[in-house]
Each structure stands twice: as structure tokens, then as C-alpha cells.
Amino acid sequence: MSVGANYPAYQPVPTSYDYDAALTEAGDTTDKYTHIRMTISKYKKLPSIPIPPNTPKYAYGAVHMKFVSTVTSILKILSPNGPIRSKHPLSMEQVCQWYGFMLYRHQFKKSFTKGLLIARGVRDRAIVLVNQMNVGILSRTGRLNLTLNVQAGQTLDILVENQGRINFGNSINDNKKGLILDVTVSNEVLVDWEMFPLNFSKVEDELLNSVILGSTEMKKNLHGFITPSVFMGQFTTPKTMKTMADTFLKLDGWRKGQVFVNGYNLGRYWPVMGPQNTLYVPGCYLNPYPNLNTVMVVELEQSPCNTQENFLLDDPEQNEVNDLLMEYMRIQYDCSVMFVDVPIINGTTPH
């Protein structure tokens, strides 16, 4: 679910490992490869081995996405073994969750007015929810406290993301993930936690067939940040295509999350941080026509989608109306992802 990280300061690296390499992530040669080869040839005779041609790429186009569920509403699917209970938070390593996400849950035993929540042990980034509403983001590289107004009996969820382990330097052994210290509110230690290790791989079929779906709606706070949610879409490849071509997934309008295609984890996206704006999709991950391909997006913060798109007519005789309505929603809310044939891994960054 994640790659490495630089240190100090802690810097999670993008999913792509192109980094101006001689070969691209797709295995294609670059101008740099040609220049390296020419330079070596000045000093050593090169073997007469033909250079394989670059593989074909294909822009499969837009895939309309639809809200499926909030993450907190499908914990039985994402964490089928149920929660692990402990008086104090356990790290991901303590519960054998080596990568990805873990949700920490606590039920407030008393009310707090302007209570200062402090979570100095966040490793590495966390979405904080109260009764499933996004109330803020914590990060080991930024803010580690929030002011809360909560009532006794309300539920605190902290969805923690492992953004990558430090892979060199004198902090290489300081790599615990999750919540590695106690969480406090107004200097009171919160005790009695449930921990849900989350697994998003290979759950598409269960999500599509689950009776749970449709019972929740997308939740958004006043600042436009959503409760972490799952979105799904399906598409077919061209009928005439015999061998599936590689492609790249572009997520305009999506803010931060993880993407899966046919159960394969493509990696994380975070275009507002850059520089990577597309994710590489090997052609072997795709199903040939007429089989469906399923895209699953786990969006943590903001999506371009609007819940109105879910209110379609149930009468199958109204398919034409539904098609028009869906087309209107595509234009109005652009709830889609796009498969393109050119990668963008050198986008702008905020620093």
C-alpha cells in the first residue's frame, strides 16, 4: 500500500519509481538511456543485441465513478476478523498490519467543550472523524492536534495511513506505524480502543454484491472534506483489441487516496502534492472484451462527485432517461477517472 520515505525530514515518496531513470516504469527506453549507451560505447564495444521496442500504450478514456460507501460503513468487509481491543492504542506492527491503513475507534465517556485532542504518535497521516464526520487531518509532518466539541457516547474514529517506512539513515529502525503513543483530549488519556486493520485488496466483488451498500450516503463537512469513501466504476476494453495495452490512470479532481484496478493495487495518488499525476497500469491487469474491468478509488479527503448521481430511476424502462441523467451528471460533477496513454510524473509541487 505504500513505498519508502526519506528522512530527515520525513518525506514519503511517490508511487512511481521513474525518477528520471534510464528506463520508465513501463520498461520503455528514454533519451537518457540512449545517451548513457552512447557514452559507454566510447570506451567499450557494446554487444550486438537489438534494443526491444517500447510497448504500445492506449488511452481507454473516461470511466464514470459512483459512490459506493464510506469506509466506516463497510468495516465488516474491510476488516472481516473484527476489531482488536486494547486499553491503549496498538501500533500496526503489533497487530501484524504491515502496510496500508488501520482505523482506531474510541467511544467518548464524557463530553468535551473546546477539548484539545493531541495525537503526537501519528505515523504517518490520519483522518479524524466524530460520528463519521471529518473533523480534521493530523500528520507527523504537520499538525498533531485538533479542537473538538463532543458529547459523551459519540464515536471517535482515527483512520491512520502508513505513508512509507524510512529506508536509510540513522532513523531506519524508527519505523513503527499507526498510533504509537496515547491520544489525549484536554490532557486526559483516552482509553479503551478498537482497532480495525483494513484490507482493500480483492474486495470489489463483495462490495458490488453487498446488501450493506445503498444504506449510506457520502458525508461531507462544511469545508468540503468527505468521510473517507469508496467509489467504483467499470469499463470494457475495445472489442478489436487482442492484447491489452499498458495505460496510465489520471485522477483530475480527486485529492488523495489509493486506487485498485481489478483488485490490483496501483498505488496512491496525491496530485496536489505532486509531482506524480498518473498511475501506471500494466496491460496484463486488464480484462479483454467483453469482460468488465473494475476501478476502485479509496478517496480520503475530497472527490469531484456529488451524491445526486445516485438518485437514478429504478424502472428499467426508463433507461434512456437514466442515460441522459448520467450524462448530465458526468458533465455537471465530473465524477470520473481517465485512462491516458502518456504519463505525467513531473507535475508541479507546493515546495
Side-chain angles (χ1 to χ4, degrees):
M1 295 287 285
S2 58
V3 287
N6 298 329
Y7 191 87
Y10 181 80
Q11 294 177 311
V13 301
T15 294
S16 172
Y17 267 98
D18 271 6
Y19 289 179
D20 195 27
L23 298 179
T24 71
E25 196 170 20
D28 295 338
T29 59
T30 65
D31 290 340
K32 176 177 281 191
Y33 172 88
T34 303
H35 289 304
I36 292 173
R37 183 179 172 86
M38 289 174 59
T39 301
I40 294 174
S41 69
K42 294 178 181 179
Y43 306 96
K44 187 176 179 64
K45 183 179 179 180
L46 300 179
S48 57
I49 300 174
I51 300 172
N54 291 344
T55 59
K57 310 298 185 295
Y58 190 82
Y60 294 96
V63 178
H64 180 69
M65 304 296 290
K66 186 176 179 181
F67 169 79
V68 173
S69 176
T70 61
V71 168
T72 51
S73 297
I74 51 174
L75 292 179
K76 289 184 179 180
I77 294 176
L78 301 178
S79 189
N81 294 326
I84 299 157
R85 294 178 175 86
S86 173
K87 185 173 183 179
H88 298 276
L90 300 175
S91 71
M92 290 186 178
E93 289 75 16
Q94 286 176 292
V95 300
C96 299
Q97 179 74 348
W98 310 117
Y99 300 99
F101 299 86
M102 189 153 79
L103 185 136
Y104 293 78
R105 173 165 287 178
H106 168 81
Q107 189 172 60
F108 287 107
K109 298 177 177 63
K110 59 179 289 187
S111 301
F112 291 94
T113 301
K114 295 184 178 179
L116 183 64
L117 180 146
I118 300 177
R120 292 191 177 93
V122 168
R123 296 292 186 274
D124 299 299
R125 186 177 174 86
I127 309 295
V128 181
L129 311 170
V130 173
N131 276 14
Q132 299 194 46
M133 289 299 295
N134 188 327
V135 296
I137 298 171
L138 305 176
S139 170
R140 69 183 291 176
T141 61
R143 187 178 182 181
L144 289 172
N145 61 77
L146 292 170
T147 300
L148 300 178
N149 294 308
V150 296
Q151 302 295 318
Q154 288 188 316
T155 299
L156 170 70
D157 287 325
I158 303 179
L159 178 62
V160 182
E161 176 189 2
N162 169 359
Q163 291 189 292
R165 288 186 170 83
I166 299 165
N167 52 25
F168 69 92
N170 58 10
S171 293
I172 196 168
N173 291 322
D174 182 21
N175 264 324
K176 290 183 179 179
K177 298 298 180 178
L179 292 180
I180 65 171
L181 298 172
D182 280 326
V183 177
T184 63
V185 177
S186 297
N187 296 319
E188 294 188 27
V189 175
L190 301 183
V191 296
D192 298 327
W193 291 85
E194 291 183 328
M195 283 143 286
F196 297 83
L198 304 183
N199 180 12
F200 291 97
S201 298
K202 307 294 183 180
V203 297
E204 290 95 332
D205 290 343
E206 190 170 359
L207 286 174
L208 288 170
N209 298 322
S210 175
V211 296
I212 300 173
L213 307 184
S215 61
T216 62
E217 62 180 21
M218 190 164 63
K219 301 178 188 296
K220 185 182 297 185
N221 67 18
L222 295 177
H223 303 287
F225 283 83
I226 66 170
T227 299
S229 298
V230 175
F231 299 80
M232 297 179 73
Q234 294 183 311
F235 71 101
T236 56
T237 55
K239 188 175 183 179
T240 56
M241 183 175 285
K242 302 302 181 184
T243 302
M244 300 302 100
D246 293 352
T247 186
F248 304 92
L249 187 62
K250 195 166 182 280
L251 295 110
D252 288 347
W254 304 82
R255 185 177 176 89
K256 187 182 192 305
Q258 205 88 13
V259 187
F260 300 79
V261 170
N262 293 334
Y264 294 101
N265 182 5
L266 299 185
R268 63 184 178 215
Y269 62 91
W270 201 0
V272 295
M273 294 300 290
Q276 182 177 3
N277 289 336
T278 57
L279 290 168
Y280 172 56
V281 186
C284 59
Y285 285 4
L286 302 178
N287 299 320
Y289 183 91
N291 300 302
L292 288 172
N293 293 277
T294 301
V295 181
M296 184 177 80
V297 174
V298 182
E299 172 59 49
L300 302 174
E301 298 180 7
Q302 290 178 322
S303 85
C305 306
N306 189 294
T307 52
Q308 293 181 37
E309 68 184 271
N310 294 310
F311 296 108
L312 300 181
L313 300 172
D314 293 327
D315 186 351
E317 294 183 0
Q318 299 297 319
N319 284 339
E320 184 176 352
V321 177
N322 272 340
D323 290 342
L324 292 173
L325 184 57
M326 288 295 286
E327 183 62 28
Y328 168 76
M329 293 302 177
R330 287 190 189 98
I331 297 171
Q332 189 74 9
Y333 303 110
D334 196 26
C335 187
S336 64
V337 298
M338 179 76 71
F339 286 97
V340 298
D341 55 5
V342 178
I344 305 173
I345 58 168
N346 194 27
T348 57
T349 65
H351 305 294

